[in-house]
Amino acid sequence: MPTDPLGPVAVAAPTLAVNLHGRGPESTEALRRTRPAALWAFDLPGECPWEPPNLAQAGSTTADPGSVATGHSRTFSAGTATSAGTATGYVPGPGSEHEVSRWCRLLAAHGVTCDPTELGLPVPPGLPPVCGWARDPTADRGAGGGETQGRGSEPGPTVVHPGGAAPARRWPELRWAAVARQLAHDGHQIVLTGSSAEHGLALRVATAAGLPPSTVLAGRLDLVALCALVARARLVLSADTGVAHLATAYRRPSVVLFGPVSPAEWGPPPDQPKHRALWAGQHSDPRGGFPAPGLLALTVDQVLREVTLLKQGACPARWKARAS
């Protein structure tokens, strides 16, 4: 049920209500008012805490998805949520854990077995006719369940998503334009995505990059069409926002720019060469009204270098190696 902005939920007496909005308490109370038979949420009395015990003790960490196991299963099972996923990989800051692990703990606390490394989604069954890419992306999908560019097929579009939920997560538009301009020069077919409210931003980026208005898809795609586009993409470039998670889910190569929040909390699996996260190592307010200082520290050359490394198939170094 949509709850953005947070407010009354338009349902009565559900069998189960699950709070995916956060830790509450406002969002939890909004669900409680629907009189559910069962309510799953963080920080209810005697139930799953937002901060896991192993993070609260001696600065230990819970691993992010895709990290290398240390002898423990990475599947969260009922009754073993705080120990089954312990591993090494990205090292979150004190008191933090990857959001995938956090939400798997909530499920495990209620008896649902889940695997935090299982991040894939099935490819949508059709691709809208956008800029000439009208083929069904499932037609040439490999046996691995996610490759959407078959042998001999034309490369898909390169998706540039310059927006973000808050200004703190938005890289300067002229830098996005410089990246898009260079990639177009290198033969990429660029499309710019975003919400209806971000149409103007995407159009400014396209204009500064010397691209025609037809490349601007911001506000023109519904959610399913956007998913299908990302599933067909040659490459996805974005800040830390929803499109980056779609690239992970559809196993499309991506470069993701992190500013106020570490990729150890929200980033793609760090051991997969298809996904590269850039972060300058500076935490700040993710809801801030200006681009985060750490985001401004990232340069056009750094982003283009990551694109080159993706093409070469190089394994990503940990984000701290690219902090400067």
Side-chain angles (χ1 to χ4, degrees):
M1 304 298 296
T3 58
D4 187 18
L6 184 63
V9 181
V11 66
T15 301
L16 172 64
V18 183
N19 184 3
L20 298 180
H21 202 282
R23 66 189 301 176
E26 296 86 359
S27 52
T28 299
E29 182 58 31
L31 289 181
R32 187 178 282 113
R33 285 195 292 268
T34 68
R35 303 183 308 281
L39 174 62
W40 296 1
F42 285 107
D43 290 344
L44 294 178
E47 297 196 18
C48 190
W50 179 262
E51 299 295 352
N54 63 320
L55 281 181
Q57 298 171 2
S60 60
T61 62
T62 297
D64 56 277
S67 56
V68 180
T70 60
H72 300 282
S73 168
R74 288 182 294 180
T75 297
F76 284 74
S77 301
T80 60
T82 60
S83 61
T86 304
T88 60
Y90 286 147
V91 180
S96 65
E97 73 175 318
H98 198 284
E99 289 296 300
V100 172
S101 296
R102 188 189 307 280
W103 291 96
C104 283
R105 283 196 298 107
L106 179 64
L107 294 178
H110 290 277
V112 179
T113 297
C114 53
D115 183 351
T117 69
E118 189 65 37
L119 301 176
L121 289 175
V123 176
L127 181 66
V130 175
C131 296
W133 295 289
R135 294 187 307 106
D136 182 343
T138 64
D140 53 11
R141 185 171 55 180
E147 296 300 330
T148 59
Q149 285 183 211
R151 294 183 297 271
S153 66
E154 291 297 321
T158 288
V159 175
V160 176
H161 189 92
R169 297 173 183 264
R170 298 175 198 158
W171 204 42
E173 57 193 62
L174 290 181
R175 299 190 196 182
W176 280 122
V179 169
R181 184 189 309 113
Q182 183 59 53
L183 293 180
H185 180 269
D186 294 341
H188 291 247
Q189 299 294 321
I190 305 295
V191 294
L192 293 111
T193 56
S195 66
S196 297
E198 294 168 336
H199 178 84
L201 166 63
L203 186 59
R204 291 193 300 272
V205 172
T207 300
L211 300 171
S214 60
T215 61
V216 177
L217 306 183
R220 293 173 51 191
L221 306 177
D222 62 17
L223 179 58
V224 173
L226 177 63
C227 290
L229 181 70
V230 171
R232 178 66 178 85
R234 172 182 180 177
L235 173 66
V236 176
L237 298 103
S238 76
D240 170 25
T241 190
V243 166
H245 302 307
L246 288 179
T248 297
Y250 295 128
R251 296 156 289 269
R252 304 316 305 151
S254 65
V255 178
V256 186
L257 282 61
F258 285 79
V261 178
S262 165
E265 297 177 48
W266 283 98
D271 60 347
Q272 295 187 14
K274 282 188 176 181
H275 308 298
R276 308 189 72 87
L278 275 171
W279 187 50
Q282 302 179 38
H283 290 278
S284 58
D285 181 4
R287 296 169 296 278
F290 299 94
L295 194 58
L296 294 177
L298 303 179
T299 68
V300 169
D301 287 343
Q302 283 178 304
V303 175
L304 292 173
R305 183 165 64 246
E306 295 302 314
V307 174
T308 298
L309 292 172
L310 270 177
K311 183 177 180 180
Q312 295 172 348
C315 290
R318 293 185 181 182
W319 47 261
K320 284 195 179 295
R322 296 194 297 279
S324 61

